[in-house]
Amino acid sequence: MRYLAFPAFLTVSLMLGACANRGGEWPSLARVPGSPNAPCGPAAESAPVAARPCVAAPPAAVSSPAPDLPALEARLAAARGAWADALRAAETAVSAAAGAGAGESAWAAAELRLSRLERAAAPFAEVAEALAGSESGAALREAAQADRARHLDAFSRLRSALRR
């Protein structure tokens, strides 16, 4: 069996043609009689007099759930362990690349380790962000922020050692 492929412009023309054949410019967008929604905007101006005016719904009060402090503490502890492992590997790679020129395999390996080290600092920011606005987790948030700052300082120190 052979299928016919229609060009995109022909398909769009057929779809628009179906709307136009029903009368009016865009009859498919017209308000359907008995619709529960009152028209808003320019459509409200041309609505029948008996129609209700468009009233915006009041903003819903969004309350953020309390952070799960034990889970965030565990995540912070895991991030500290992962950071320590990544730091040891990065320090080893940077010291091995001390005499290597840019583009050599030892230098590339050190760059890779530094990228992983930088990525290992992301959970500290995520934990701090999860605790934003939480009074009960203020101490944990401050610890996460301090850890991130300390770890990014170590990252910067190793980055500059590799660039020399």
Side-chain angles (χ1 to χ4, degrees), residues 88-119:
R88 279 190 294 277
E91 287 174 337
T92 302
V94 168
S95 65
E104 291 183 25
S105 62
W107 181 85
E111 281 287 334
L112 179 64
R113 290 295 177 180
L114 284 174
S115 294
R116 289 179 182 166
L117 182 66
E118 185 179 28
R119 199 170 348 134

Side-chain angles (χ1 to χ4, degrees), residues 32-123:
V32 177
S35 173
N37 297 331
C40 294
E45 296 169 3
S46 62
V49 178
R52 287 183 294 157
C54 180
V55 178
V62 178
S63 62
S64 60
D68 185 5
L69 292 180
L72 291 171
E73 286 175 0
R75 185 164 184 213
L76 188 58
R80 286 176 179 147
W83 172 267
D85 293 342
L87 180 61
R88 279 190 294 277
E91 287 174 337
T92 302
V94 168
S95 65
E104 291 183 25
S105 62
W107 181 85
E111 281 287 334
L112 179 64
R113 290 295 177 180
L114 284 174
S115 294
R116 289 179 182 166
L117 182 66
E118 185 179 28
R119 199 170 348 134

